[in-house]
Amino acid sequence: MTTQAVRTKGAEPDLQMEAPLQLGELDHHLGYFLRRLQVWIFQDFIAALKEKHVRPAQYSVLLVIKANPGRSQSAIGRRLNIERARLARLLHDLEKRKWIRRRASGCDARSHALVLTADGERALGQIKTLAAKHEAKVGEYVGQKRRAELMRLLRDFG
Amino acid sequence: MTTQAVRTKGAEPDLQMEAPLQLGELDHHLGYFLRRLQVWIFQDFIAALKEKHVRPAQYSVLLVIKANPGRSQSAIGRRLNIERARLARLLHDLEKRKWIRRRASGCDARSHALVLTADGERALGQIKTLAAKHEAKVGEYVGQKRRAELMRLLRDFG
DNA sequence: TATTGTTATACTCTATAACTATA
DNA sequence: TATAGTTATAGAGTATAACAATA
């Protein structure tokens, strides 16, 4: 930290400072900046939900099942852009916790109708409380006005 | 796709339509929407750079080394938020391709001074051309105006 | 033939810990 | 003691392919 010091004209000789690193062309890539904020938010979410052992993808699946009870795995997967192989394992885990049930579809013997169990509803209630606290922290970090603008600009891609 | 049909009042009886899935509370989480667009952009980037076998993280490291020749691994890692263990392996791979060199630092025997090789400069030139085409596609997908607004709102977090 | 869901494999990325050599 | 870099391991996410059952 003290090597390769850069002396700026007016700076104290003893105060050795590193030149800040430039981003180069990275500065013109939207994906880079999206990624940086997304990672910060997901890390905060994971920390906030750690006690419940719920990851972002699991949370999103629980919410979409609650909002659309009885729908099939393929429908959920299409909505959230989760690959069916991955969703199968994710749901297997949620079923082991007794948070969801896969019922017979009735219309199509190939597909399952996904629903939350009573346990799942209860757990999701607690999870939502933690997620709301997390989202409040996001608002502080990003700024309420900027958060609202980002939501408006990004909503079309969800 | 034809089961669990929902008949809307004025719709043709034969045209069976699925009700679109609701997002539930997910609709109020900035992280979800950020993630959806970020994933789209990264998938497009990976496809665009497939022939060069360059992943987003590798690209970002190459650009930052070029913009800041001679800096240490820890400096690069801090700037891009890449963990030092992961960066060590990433650089090992770039070194195998002869795109970068780790020189002795001169000031601190523990650290390496990272620089691009002539091969690396050449490769990066071609890579940048592909990345620019990709970024143009991002502009089309997102909309030029929206892209500019997002850049402005997100730049602080990069 | 196409779709739903399952299992399996491989690769990337992330998170840790343990280790060395230097500071 | 702390930092720079390396190696190893485990977990999550992603991308495939192959398969059985059903449409």
Side-chain angles (χ1 to χ4, degrees), chain B residues 31-153:
Chain B
Y32 170 70
F33 294 101
L34 273 172
R35 173 73 176 165
R36 288 300 298 262
L37 181 55
Q38 180 262 308
V39 166
W40 188 94
I41 291 177
F42 269 45
Q43 282 177 340
D44 188 79
F45 181 93
I46 291 164
L49 277 289
K50 191 168 186 109
E51 53 180 282
K52 294 286 172 198
H53 304 281
V54 174
R55 309 273 309 179
Q58 296 171 319
Y59 176 63
S60 68
V61 167
L62 288 171
L63 288 181
V64 171
I65 291 175
K66 182 178 171 67
N68 311 273
R71 305 302 292 260
S72 69
Q73 294 185 199
S74 62
I76 304 282
R78 267 192 306 272
R79 185 66 184 88
L80 291 173
N81 197 26
I82 298 175
E83 212 279 321
R84 62 190 175 149
R86 163 139 181 68
L87 185 57
R89 279 170 306 174
L90 191 155
L91 291 171
H92 180 70
D93 177 78
L94 295 179
E95 208 172 21
K96 260 198 319 189
R97 302 189 202 187
K98 312 227 189 262
W99 286 358
I100 65 152
R101 265 208 328 258
R102 289 154 146 139
R103 293 190 317 208
S105 160
C107 307
D108 186 333
R110 293 173 300 179
S111 71
H112 303 156
L114 301 171
V115 287
L116 293 188
T117 62
D119 272 9
E121 297 271 5
R122 243 189 319 274
L124 185 52
Q126 300 166 351
I127 289 165
K128 274 192 201 172
T129 304
L130 295 174
K133 271 190 219 168
H134 149 76
E135 195 62 33
K137 244 178 107 179
V138 169
E140 284 177 40
Y141 181 68
V142 174
Q144 298 300 344
K145 191 181 165 193
R146 174 152 44 188
R147 181 178 170 285
E149 285 190 82
L150 286 171
M151 285 292 249
R152 175 177 57 78
L153 292 168

Side-chain angles (χ1 to χ4, degrees), chain A residues 102-120:
Chain A
R102 288 153 145 140
R103 293 189 317 206
S105 159
C107 307
D108 187 332
R110 293 173 302 180
S111 70
H112 303 155
L114 301 171
V115 288
L116 292 187
T117 62
D119 271 9

Side-chain angles (χ1 to χ4, degrees), chain A residues 1 55-57 83-86 89-90 107-110:
Chain A
M1 284 292 266
R55 311 273 307 179
E83 213 278 322
R84 62 191 174 149
R86 161 139 182 70
R89 278 172 305 176
L90 191 156
C107 307
D108 187 332
R110 293 173 302 180

Side-chain angles (χ1 to χ4, degrees), chain A residues 22-48:
Chain A
Q22 302 301 311
L23 287 177
E25 327 281 327
L26 215 48
D27 201 50
H28 303 111
H29 283 293
L30 176 57
Y32 169 71
F33 294 101
L34 273 172
R35 173 75 177 165
R36 288 300 299 262
L37 182 55
Q38 181 261 308
V39 165
W40 188 95
I41 292 178
F42 269 46
Q43 282 177 341
D44 188 80
F45 180 93
I46 291 164

